[in-house]
Amino acid sequence: MIQKSEEALTYLGNGEFQTAKSIFSVLLDRDPEDIATISGFYIASFWDHRLDLILKTREGKERGKLLLQLFSDFETEIRKRGFQNTDSFIVTQDCILKEARDHLKLAYQWEGSNALDKELLGDLARSLIKIQDYSMAIEVLLYGGNKQSPVLLYYLAESQVMTGKEKEGIDNYRIAFLNDPQLFPYTIVRWPPLLQLIEKANSFSQKEEEMKELVPVFAWREGLFVTGGKKEEGTIQIWFSELKRLTESKERSGGSFRLEARIEQFALAILKSADDIRSRDAVLFAKNLV
């Protein structure tokens, strides 16, 4: 029984979905209540039914894009059924996303960075991070440019910290959070220091939007975002202008959780990064807020 299950998983991982489905069907007859077997049969059937469409689609960008679209639908269905932690899902995710990666890699090798628009670049980067191919994610993001997308900066930051490039990754995380904490794709994070802060933020608030605002505040408070050295005066002045805008908005509206957190994030960023003498006005203003 165990040997047959492992054999079926191997076929799933190799993209041989019809064979995997046949094995899971036999196992299902023996134990129709086994969740792992039910999951395996469903997953093998899902992809077996779509295999002809995949193989008929042109290799490169078209097939890679299709695979990511199908995987998105697949992941939604899997989460509805509670199969996201099964071995069948894990090996199939690896199989499909690696195949999508290979086809989209061909696309940008053949056509250059213009082959991948902002949305497709984001889908590919997110997929690479899910299968922990961080080096390839960095290559794709840097080769394709950031496409002026703040969320892609989060993907780049996570990939950098997970490949030992912590200084660059932390700097990009700081910039991304200052741009917009609500875009933080926390489900893809595996970097332990940030995972700990996500858990801490969740202990303070069960609301996702509030958790996203708290993470960068905790990162500044606890020194994760403090890497030494002082920021250029131009950067400090940009942060100072935004901090003043936020405080004026609070005075007009009466404030909110999100606004309070943004104010603290910018104030801490200034206090931890500015030269006390050169940026005296900004530092004094920030000190009065935290």
Side-chain angles (χ1 to χ4, degrees):
M1 184 83 166
I2 295 175
Q3 185 177 354
K4 278 291 182 185
S5 295
E6 291 175 350
E7 186 181 349
L9 288 173
T10 299
Y11 282 117
L12 268 184
N14 291 335
E16 299 179 55
F17 303 115
Q18 187 174 32
T19 305
K21 183 172 72 171
S22 297
I23 297 173
F24 280 122
S25 179
V26 171
L27 294 173
L28 207 54
D29 288 339
R30 295 178 188 173
D31 188 355
E33 302 298 322
D34 182 62
I35 295 298
T37 305
I38 295 169
S39 165
F41 183 78
Y42 173 80
I43 289 170
S45 299
F46 182 99
W47 289 103
D48 186 45
H49 291 156
R50 292 158 178 79
L51 195 55
D52 281 348
L53 172 62
I54 293 168
L55 295 176
K56 287 176 182 175
T57 303
R58 184 183 174 189
E59 293 185 344
K61 180 180 179 179
E62 287 79 5
R63 190 179 295 186
K65 189 173 184 179
L66 174 64
L67 285 165
L68 290 180
Q69 290 170 344
L70 291 174
F71 183 80
S72 179
D73 296 340
F74 168 67
E75 193 171 27
T76 299
E77 294 301 320
I78 286 297
R79 292 191 181 280
K80 282 181 186 176
R81 291 165 172 77
F83 294 158
Q84 66 270 21
N85 295 319
T86 62
D87 290 338
S88 297
F89 173 71
I90 292 167
V91 299
T92 304
Q93 172 179 258
D94 197 61
C95 169
I96 299 300
L97 294 183
K98 282 182 177 177
E99 187 71 10
R101 171 200 65 189
D102 292 345
H103 282 281
L104 292 174
K105 184 178 178 181
L106 285 175
Y108 79 73
Q109 285 177 342
W110 292 342
E111 304 173 41
S113 61
N114 290 332
L116 307 180
D117 58 31
K118 183 170 66 176
E119 183 179 356
L120 191 54
L121 189 66
D123 290 342
L124 175 57
R126 184 169 56 251
S127 298
L128 291 167
I129 290 169
K130 282 182 178 179
I131 59 175
Q132 300 182 53
D133 191 348
Y134 299 110
S135 295
M136 185 66 198
I138 292 172
E139 181 182 338
V140 166
L141 288 164
L142 293 180
Y143 183 85
N146 63 25
K147 306 289 187 183
Q148 305 303 310
S149 170
V151 75
L152 295 185
L153 195 57
Y154 280 110
Y155 296 149
L156 180 59
E158 177 67 10
S159 299
Q160 288 171 326
V161 294
M162 291 300 290
T163 51
K165 301 178 178 68
E166 288 198 355
K167 187 177 185 301
E168 297 96 323
I170 289 171
D171 194 49
N172 282 325
Y173 259 132
R174 287 187 303 195
I175 296 168
F177 275 115
L178 287 166
N179 283 338
D180 191 350
Q182 289 304 308
L183 294 176
F184 177 41
Y186 66 95
T187 58
I188 58 101
V189 173
R190 284 193 178 91
W191 189 42
L194 203 55
L195 277 177
Q196 290 172 9
L197 294 185
I198 292 170
E199 290 174 10
K200 182 174 180 177
N202 277 323
S203 72
F204 276 79
S205 176
Q206 295 300 307
K207 294 181 179 178
E208 181 180 301
E209 67 173 35
E210 292 184 358
M211 176 273 288
K212 290 179 176 180
E213 299 289 342
L214 284 170
V215 168
V217 172
F218 290 154
W220 282 108
R221 282 184 190 174
E222 298 184 14
L224 182 63
F225 281 178
V226 181
T227 57
K230 300 298 181 181
K231 279 287 181 184
E232 307 81 17
E233 180 63 12
T235 299
I236 297 299
Q237 289 306 314
I238 291 171
W239 293 354
F240 186 24
S241 295
E242 180 62 12
L243 183 57
K244 287 189 289 186
R245 187 191 69 79
L246 291 168
T247 53
E248 288 168 4
S249 178
K250 179 186 174 183
E251 289 170 4
R252 289 194 304 270
S253 66
S256 66
F257 185 94
R258 181 183 294 192
L259 194 52
E260 294 278 1
R262 296 277 174 98
I263 287 171
E264 184 167 357
Q265 184 189 176
F266 273 93
L268 288 169
I270 289 171
L271 291 174
K272 303 291 187 180
S273 308
D275 181 278
D276 290 350
I277 298 174
R278 192 170 60 229
S279 307
R280 183 173 178 275
D281 290 345
V283 170
L284 289 175
F285 189 84
K287 277 182 179 178
N288 289 328
L289 297 170
V290 294

